[in-house]
């Protein structure tokens, strides 16, 4: 985690030009962006103190110092939480530190999934898919996967079919890696997460490239364009809600604009129209169903 903290801070100062921070440029720069001395100046801390922080030796950094560094580096809210997590890996994160993780769902959550008239599923830690409703299964084919393979990051980066399923694959990949990086910051000692990151790093050039940039982002809301092998082009929005009492479990609901072609497809599926009956060979074209063995 010492290395992660240093790499994260270096990646964030590299994206800020001195002129953007109101500083005068001087001398030859060996690295892009701000120097350590300039970050220290903007944060109002000594250069030596900031260097110790980048080296992972700032375990006793106060909230005021971490907040000042976050402001100097123009961190987003998600990146600020990540900074706290990396600087204090044994505790002291910003509000709502996750509680004890459970990979099983309350019965009420399963009832809620079935009551939602839209594709909906529950994500757990490490982007494991824990449960889904019938519409989500029709869209993503979760039930056709072995339990151990129901992981969105693995299917996205290791399944060749994912690039066809998600026309905006690069965007989805960046969001996925950013969310996984956030999880890694909050849970640095999770052995299963470390194994997942190691596997993705070994087997996916794209994952290594994105991961090296240290993206950090919560999964909150956005758009998801899908090219389904049977249903055609589906243009969804999505909303992500943390489940009360289970902050590591997220309810993800796909939405469609009323009157849109995607809304019409969902209406047909809900009504039991044959469009929702996938051919036997269509499951293999869904992400995750052709992931090669580890």
């Amino acid at each position: 985690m010492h290395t992660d903290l240093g790499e994260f801070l270096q990646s964030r100062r590299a994206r800020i030009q001195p002129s953007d921070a109101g500083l005068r440029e001087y001398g030859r720069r060996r690295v892009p962006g701000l120097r350590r001395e300039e970050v220290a100046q903007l944060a109002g801390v000594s250069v030596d103190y900031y260097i110790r922080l980048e080296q992972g030796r700032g375990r006793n950094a106060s909230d005021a110092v971490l907040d000042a560094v976050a402001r100097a580096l123009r961190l987003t809210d998600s990146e600020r939480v990540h900074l706290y997590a990396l600087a204090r890996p044994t505790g002291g994160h910003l509000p709502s530190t996750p509680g004890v993780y459970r990979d099983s769902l309350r019965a009420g959550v399963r009832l809620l999934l079935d009551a939602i008239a839209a594709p909906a599923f529950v994500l757990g830690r490490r982007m494991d898919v824990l449960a889904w409703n019938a519409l989500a299964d029709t869209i993503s084919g979760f039930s056709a996967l072995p339990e151990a393979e129901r992981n969105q990051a693995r299917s996205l980066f290791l399944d060749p079919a994912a690039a066809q399923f998600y026309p905006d694959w690069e965007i989805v990949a960046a969001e996925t890696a950013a969310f996984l990086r956030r999880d890694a910051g909050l849970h640095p000692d999770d052995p299963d997460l470390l194994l997942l990151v190691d596997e993705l790093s070994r087997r996916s050039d794209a994952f290594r490239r994105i991961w090296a940039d240290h993206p950090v982002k919560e999964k909150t809301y956005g758009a998801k364009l899908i090219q389904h092998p049977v249903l055609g082009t589906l243009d969804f929005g999505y909303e992500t809600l943390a489940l009360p009492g289970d902050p590591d479990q997220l309810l993800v609901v796909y939405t469609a604009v009323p009157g849109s072609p995607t809304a019409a497809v969902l209406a047909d599926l809900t009504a039991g129209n044959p469009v929702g009956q996938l051919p036997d060979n269509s499951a293999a074209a869904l992400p995750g169903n052709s992931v090669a063995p580890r």
Side-chain angles (χ1 to χ4, degrees):
M1 295 309 298
H2 292 181
T3 302
D4 283 347
L5 176 59
E7 291 179 351
F8 174 67
L9 290 172
Q10 290 165 25
S11 71
R12 291 311 177 263
R13 62 182 171 89
R15 69 184 183 183
I16 303 175
Q17 297 303 314
S19 58
D20 296 333
L23 300 174
R24 295 181 61 183
E25 297 196 35
Y26 61 92
R28 182 178 179 182
R29 292 182 178 270
R30 293 177 297 175
V31 295
L34 298 177
R35 297 185 174 99
R36 289 173 171 175
E37 296 86 349
E38 291 166 333
V39 176
Q41 176 186 341
L42 292 170
V45 299
S46 71
V47 175
D48 182 64
Y49 190 95
Y50 178 75
I51 291 175
R52 292 203 310 271
L53 185 63
E54 270 203 11
Q55 293 174 341
R57 296 187 289 127
R59 294 293 184 88
N60 297 320
S62 66
D63 288 359
V65 167
L66 293 178
D67 285 345
V69 170
R71 287 192 298 271
L73 294 176
R74 303 184 179 187
L75 301 186
T76 66
D77 289 343
S78 293
E79 290 170 340
R80 182 168 169 263
V81 171
H82 190 63
L83 171 63
Y84 266 71
L86 294 179
R88 300 172 179 175
T90 57
H93 303 166
L94 278 179
S96 67
T97 300
V100 177
Y101 173 62
R102 295 199 299 268
D103 60 2
S104 60
L105 266 67
R106 301 191 307 274
V109 174
R110 294 186 181 276
L111 292 174
L112 174 62
L113 279 173
D114 291 337
I116 296 175
F121 55 94
V122 174
L123 279 181
R125 289 280 316 287
R126 304 172 292 274
M127 302 196 77
D128 288 339
V129 181
L130 304 182
W132 53 88
N133 63 12
L135 283 175
D137 198 25
T138 298
I139 301 300
S140 300
F142 296 128
S143 63
L145 293 171
E147 183 175 353
E149 301 299 330
R150 293 171 189 153
N151 179 277
Q152 287 201 318
R154 288 195 77 250
S155 64
L156 183 73
F157 285 103
L158 302 184
D159 189 348
Q164 286 73 47
F165 191 76
Y166 297 111
D168 297 328
W169 187 90
E170 284 287 346
I171 295 175
V172 178
E175 291 176 346
T176 299
F179 183 76
L180 205 60
R181 174 70 78 172
R182 175 183 178 274
D183 198 14
L186 292 173
H187 306 279
D189 299 321
D190 181 347
D192 291 330
L193 178 56
L194 294 176
L195 287 173
L196 175 62
V197 170
D198 178 68
E199 179 189 8
L200 296 178
S201 298
R202 286 186 291 104
R203 299 179 59 188
S204 171
D205 293 339
F207 179 81
R208 285 197 304 275
R209 169 176 54 81
I210 299 172
W211 191 254
D213 288 336
H214 287 258
V216 182
K217 187 178 180 181
E218 292 185 79
K219 187 179 180 69
T220 51
Y221 61 89
K224 190 81 70 173
L225 184 64
I226 290 174
Q227 187 63 44
H228 195 276
V230 174
L231 304 176
T233 302
L234 302 173
D235 192 357
F236 290 114
Y238 70 84
E239 298 290 334
T240 304
L241 308 172
L243 293 174
D246 294 283
D248 284 322
Q249 294 183 355
L250 304 175
L251 174 64
V252 182
V253 181
Y254 284 176
T255 61
V257 176
S260 67
T262 300
V265 170
L266 292 181
D268 284 340
L269 292 174
T270 303
N273 188 298
V275 70
Q277 302 300 315
L278 303 184
D280 291 339
N281 64 350
S282 65
L286 298 176
N289 291 353
S290 59
V291 175
R294 302 185 199 190

